[in-house]
Amino acid sequence: VSAPAPADGFSVFASLHERRREERRAQNANESPAVIAGRALGLDGPLTLERLVCETSLGALPASKAQVLLLRAADGKPANDVLPTARMVFHLGCERMPANDGGILWNGERLPSGRPRIVVLRTGVRAGKTLISVLALLLSVLTCQFRRPPMNDEEVPGPDGLVGVRPGELVRAIIVAPRLENTRAPFQHLVGTMNASPVLRKLFVKKPLAESCVIRRPDGREVEVKCLAADAGGTNLRSTWLAGALFDEADFHD
């Protein structure tokens, strides 16, 4: 049997190399930022709001059972073992949450499956809502998807086969309140919690300023967290990619 010509052998090798590169690219695209962040932060699974708030190496908040229930609901995770039925009804208005049962619709007894896109906290004072909310913003900063596969033929992918944030584009997460001074409390919660964690403090690109900081995610992406006063029509919230938004003192927004 004669050996293939050198040109043919090189073509075969190049084809195999390109195929393997495409496989690695697809694998990286399919691995969620939550998994990447969890692994980089020393967790044995994906980063969730509950882990970010309660893990001793991260948020280290001694959460009550009611707060854990909130965290599970915000994560879209089962929480039927946290509190008895009467307390579930008191806090969430339903008797139980689904156990990953395939997206059951609201029927008066269960909350819908899956992680909610919007969470509204209605509590009294000193319930931890600002701290939990700002850590939810941090979770979004660390786990939001910068680039994704195209959804249709009209979306033209880049060289990596994906669409979304391009190199050099600004990505922000914003803390918005009726007045700029109202943003100081949640921002200090964020900075204080991160500085208190030996793991999270390493994510600051440089020392935080009074009203902003830059966080480098475990995947190398950078996000600016910025404090802003509410503006008519939201004009100061536009023109950039948003990794998350926290609207504090929501009762006083127009």
Side-chain angles (χ1 to χ4, degrees), residues 29-73:
N30 291 331
E31 190 171 40
S32 72
V35 172
I36 296 174
R39 183 169 57 243
L41 298 179
L43 304 179
D44 56 359
L47 182 63
T48 64
L49 182 58
E50 183 178 5
R51 301 293 295 271
L52 188 57
V53 172
C54 300
E55 196 76 24
T56 54
S57 63
L58 302 177
L61 172 68
S64 67
K65 289 187 176 182
Q67 289 171 327
V68 171
L69 180 65
L70 164 65
L71 300 174
R72 296 273 181 90

Side-chain angles (χ1 to χ4, degrees), residues 58-184:
L58 302 177
L61 172 68
S64 67
K65 289 187 176 182
Q67 289 171 327
V68 171
L69 180 65
L70 164 65
L71 300 174
R72 296 273 181 90
D75 278 327
K77 302 295 184 181
N80 300 319
D81 59 339
V82 177
L83 288 173
T85 299
R87 299 297 294 173
M88 291 282 290
V89 173
F90 176 81
H91 289 294
L92 295 182
C94 63
E95 293 184 0
R96 63 188 301 272
M97 295 173 62
N100 296 330
D101 50 9
I104 187 170
L105 298 178
W106 171 264
N107 61 9
E109 296 181 355
R110 301 183 183 186
L111 290 180
S113 294
R115 185 183 178 200
R117 292 179 61 85
I118 299 175
V119 176
V120 180
L121 307 184
R122 297 183 61 201
T123 75
V125 298
R126 311 304 300 169
K129 55 185 179 293
T130 298
L131 175 59
I132 291 174
S133 297
V134 82
L135 289 181
L137 182 70
L138 177 60
L139 176 70
S140 187
V141 167
L142 297 177
T143 62
C144 67
Q145 190 175 18
F146 271 52
R147 294 184 66 77
R148 58 167 175 78
M151 299 179 63
N152 52 57
D153 294 338
E154 296 180 358
E155 294 185 330
V156 180
D160 60 354
L162 305 174
V163 298
V165 181
R166 294 176 296 181
E169 290 189 304
L170 176 64
V171 179
R172 294 192 304 175
I174 54 176
I175 300 174
V176 187
R179 305 181 67 176
L180 190 59
E181 54 262 34
N182 299 133
T183 65
R184 291 175 182 170

Side-chain angles (χ1 to χ4, degrees), residues 184-217:
R184 291 175 182 170
F187 184 69
Q188 288 304 313
H189 273 309
L190 174 69
V191 173
T193 299
M194 292 185 65
N195 275 329
S197 166
V199 178
L200 294 178
R201 76 166 70 108
K202 298 176 182 178
L203 301 182
F204 285 125
V205 174
K206 55 185 177 181
K207 184 178 180 180
L209 302 177
E211 298 167 0
S212 67
C213 64
V214 179
I215 295 172
R216 180 177 292 119
R217 299 166 16 137

